[in-house]
Amino acid sequence: MTTVQLGMPTVASDPHGHLRGTESFPKAAHKALADTQLRRNLGHATRTIRAKRAAVVGEVDDWEELRRAGESIKADTMARLPELLVQLEEQVTARGGHVHWARDAEEANRIVVDLVRGTGADEVVKVKSMATQETGLNEALEAAGVAAFETDLAELIVQLSHDRPSHFLVPAIHRNRAEIREIFLREMPGVDPALTDEPRRLAMAARAHLRRKFLTAKVGISGVNFAVAETGTLSVVESEGNGRMCLTLPDTLITVMGVEKVVPTWSDLEVFLQLLPRSSTGERMNPYTSTWTGVTPGDGPQTFHLVLLDNGRSNVLASPDGRQALHCIRCSACLNVCPVYERTGGHAYGSIYPGPIGAVLSPQLTGISGPDDVNASLPYASSLCGACFDACPVRIDIPHLLVQQRAEAVAAHTRPTAQDLTMQAMAIAMTTPARFKFAEKALGLGRVLAGRKGRITGLPWPMSGWTNARDLPAPPQETFRQWWSRTHGDTQRSGAGPSTGEDA
């Protein structure tokens, strides 16, 4: 019997800073909000995807039952993850594949680089893989003298523009057609100088560029959407056909997979193949669904390696509630409905996992070192409106996780922050009716600060932590207590209305 040690729950390594940005979310969001072109691009794209998703989800009578089935399968998978991973390894090995275990990003990159070097190749083609973006594999390959070519159109745009992805599904969602045309003219070798920003012409240019790479690359590197433990079958779903080219043409295929992507059986895969396309691209089914099991002599890659990546996932799994974040199937539905993401875009989150699910997953993967850790600000990047839970195809209770992580972040403070002091002051003010009444009167000063604009745009420390990221409306001329007293008199004393005085 094979024994697999996933290791003690440890946080992720992040050798290339892909899980943690350089500044807190409020600071990064402040810059993003000033970019009107970015906001237009994001607003148009997310509105379009939301409308498509709503239309196809409305066609399925048992959509809620499917969501609950997906939730149950994921919960069962996490409960027996080590057992399922061992089963997957046995099945892949029995069918001619090789399985490697990577504790963290450095180990995964080292394994892949060594495998590529072993083939003698100096270039590889890749199909979109969040796991390799997480580890910074492209940077590791470049350092080893290996050129990596992204073949997904959006990923290619991001790579050519030396940018970072800002969305799971549409990494270049922050770019419009005119910007993409400029990128192609500037960075793509041999492109037609008369290239226009017509989508068909842009796609043709990318296709001609990539076709040469597909035909010459000896090594393909892929991610994976799902892995079936009972047969050792892996699956990639995509919309452009580039995935199928990467998975079949090279002599060697290397797949990097986060350990949470395993599902127990083919019947379980059936549920997710219904949930994923409707939630991600607003389609009834994915245009290309590729599956492969080990190696087939004379057909496709003759050498197959599967790298199973932990990189902090055991740490997430150790949290009874937080492990819900590992249920994510990277559909992006929560991003597309989030009012915060729609206005700031993905770069403001710092991590390659943006949006509501990224705000709970990234801090758990990396751990939080203290109040100054930029990832400590991510759980606050939400209005807690609940739209992310309603849209999630596997019913991850993201609002609950966000509140829980906010509480954990406050509890971990070794010294009081401005927010802590503000909340303590509010707690004192709300302890007695007399203090609350006094605080109401003090708030009247806010009208002076707001002036004729009716908005408070700056407050002294510690309240500056709030106004650095948003404006405050001026306090009203009349409080509720004052209104009630004026319109109802002292009815409260006769028991005819709610309390308006000292017993409020």
Side-chain angles (χ1 to χ4, degrees):
M1 177 177 177
T2 304
T3 299
V4 175
Q5 178 63 45
L6 284 178
M8 294 298 292
T10 56
V11 297
S13 66
D14 189 22
H16 300 285
H18 290 191
L19 289 175
R20 183 184 271 117
T22 57
E23 56 188 353
S24 66
F25 180 83
K27 289 183 178 178
H30 195 74
K31 296 175 183 174
L33 290 171
D35 188 338
T36 55
Q37 181 65 57
L38 172 69
R39 294 177 64 179
R40 274 197 296 271
N41 295 348
L42 288 169
H44 174 73
T46 53
R47 279 194 300 273
T48 301
I49 298 173
R50 281 200 301 268
K52 289 181 63 180
R53 175 191 174 276
V56 296
V57 166
E59 297 172 350
V60 184
D61 294 334
D62 61 347
W63 180 251
E64 282 306 311
E65 285 74 12
L66 271 174
R67 290 181 72 208
R68 291 187 183 280
E71 178 187 25
S72 298
I73 293 168
K74 282 294 185 179
D76 171 61
T77 299
M78 294 307 133
R80 52 194 185 103
L81 187 58
E83 165 197 335
L84 292 172
L85 290 173
V86 169
Q87 186 180 10
L88 176 68
E89 179 187 29
E90 291 172 347
Q91 294 300 321
V92 170
T93 303
R95 289 163 172 77
H98 306 274
V99 177
H100 311 262
W101 297 78
R103 292 182 179 82
D104 55 25
E106 283 101 337
E107 187 168 11
N109 289 343
R110 187 165 56 251
I111 291 170
V112 176
V113 168
D114 288 346
L115 291 173
V116 174
R117 280 175 169 165
T119 67
D122 58 3
E123 64 179 34
V124 300
V125 288
K126 291 182 64 192
V127 59
K128 187 166 62 176
S129 164
M130 296 298 294
T132 61
Q133 290 173 12
E134 174 186 324
T135 64
L137 178 61
N138 284 7
E139 289 89 337
L141 289 170
E142 183 180 5
V146 178
F149 296 95
E150 298 287 353
T151 63
D152 178 89
L153 178 56
E155 290 286 352
L156 175 65
I157 294 166
V158 169
Q159 185 180 38
L160 290 176
S161 59
H162 311 288
D163 200 353
R164 300 182 69 169
S166 62
H167 192 276
F168 293 156
L169 186 69
V170 194
I173 194 172
H174 53 292
R175 299 285 190 183
N176 60 26
R177 290 184 297 170
E179 292 175 307
I180 294 169
R181 172 183 174 273
E182 292 301 319
I183 292 167
F184 280 10
L185 289 174
R186 186 175 66 248
E187 302 288 343
M188 188 177 283
V191 71
D192 182 359
L195 179 68
T196 70
D197 64 2
E198 182 187 355
R200 188 177 67 89
R201 295 290 304 277
L202 294 173
M204 289 173 63
R207 188 179 299 127
H209 171 72
L210 291 173
R211 189 166 293 156
R212 292 188 288 270
K213 304 302 178 186
F214 284 132
L215 294 175
T216 58
K218 295 181 179 178
V219 180
I221 296 177
S222 82
V224 60
N225 290 101
F226 305 102
V228 182
E230 71 174 353
T231 60
T233 303
L234 289 90
S235 177
V236 165
V237 296
E238 39 100 13
S239 303
E240 301 169 13
N242 62 303
R244 188 155 297 177
M245 303 284 273
C246 282
L247 299 171
T248 57
L249 290 179
D251 299 327
T252 299
L253 174 61
I254 303 170
T255 298
V256 182
M257 167 188 149
V259 292
E260 78 280 13
K261 296 295 185 69
V262 67
V263 297
T265 68
W266 271 88
S267 297
D268 299 322
L269 178 62
E270 173 190 335
V271 172
F272 295 111
L273 291 183
Q274 295 177 73
L275 289 169
L276 180 57
R278 285 182 164 84
S279 300
S280 56
T281 54
E283 296 171 302
R284 296 182 181 89
M285 63 181 294
N286 288 97
Y288 296 90
T289 300
S290 300
T291 61
W292 70 100
T293 307
V295 173
T296 302
D299 185 13
Q302 295 303 290
T303 305
F304 169 56
H305 297 273
L306 174 62
V307 181
L308 296 173
L309 174 69
D310 185 323
N311 205 36
R313 286 161 176 79
S314 293
N315 189 50
V316 183
L317 189 67
S319 169
D321 288 331
R323 62 168 54 181
Q324 277 190 72
L326 296 178
H327 295 187
C328 178
I329 58 174
R330 309 288 191 267
C331 68
S332 308
C334 63
L335 279 67
N336 299 329
V337 299
C338 177
V340 176
Y341 176 86
E342 182 175 338
R343 286 157 179 78
T344 64
H347 291 166
Y349 294 80
S351 168
I352 58 121
Y353 297 117
I357 187 63
V360 296
L361 180 59
S362 299
Q364 290 192 91
L365 287 174
T366 62
I368 300 299
S369 59
D372 296 329
D373 189 324
V374 294
N375 274 2
S377 66
L378 292 181
Y380 296 90
S382 170
S383 64
L384 299 181
C385 65
C388 49
F389 171 72
D390 293 338
C392 179
V394 290
R395 294 172 48 84
I396 301 173
D397 193 350
I398 296 175
H400 170 71
L401 295 179
L402 288 167
V403 172
Q404 187 182 54
Q405 290 192 16
R406 291 181 188 186
E408 290 177 359
V410 171
H413 289 175
T414 55
R415 52 181 168 76
T417 65
Q419 183 185 10
D420 295 338
L421 296 175
T422 303
M423 297 305 292
Q424 288 172 11
M426 291 180 65
I428 293 171
M430 293 181 177
T431 302
T432 67
R435 290 175 183 171
F436 190 74
K437 196 171 184 178
F438 177 78
E440 281 186 331
K441 291 181 178 178
L443 285 177
L445 294 173
R447 289 194 294 276
V448 178
L449 295 174
R452 294 182 177 178
K453 296 181 297 183
R455 308 289 300 179
I456 301 173
T457 57
L459 285 171
W461 190 89
M463 291 297 292
S464 57
W466 179 277
T467 53
N468 284 342
R470 72 212 82 179
D471 295 344
L472 283 173
Q477 292 287 341
E478 186 179 45
T479 66
F480 174 79
R481 289 173 180 231
Q482 292 167 339
W483 171 83
W484 186 272
S485 179
R486 177 171 57 79
T487 57
H488 294 72
D490 58 353
T491 53
Q492 145 300 310
R493 290 190 172 82
S494 64
S499 172
T500 60
E502 283 68 23
D503 57 345

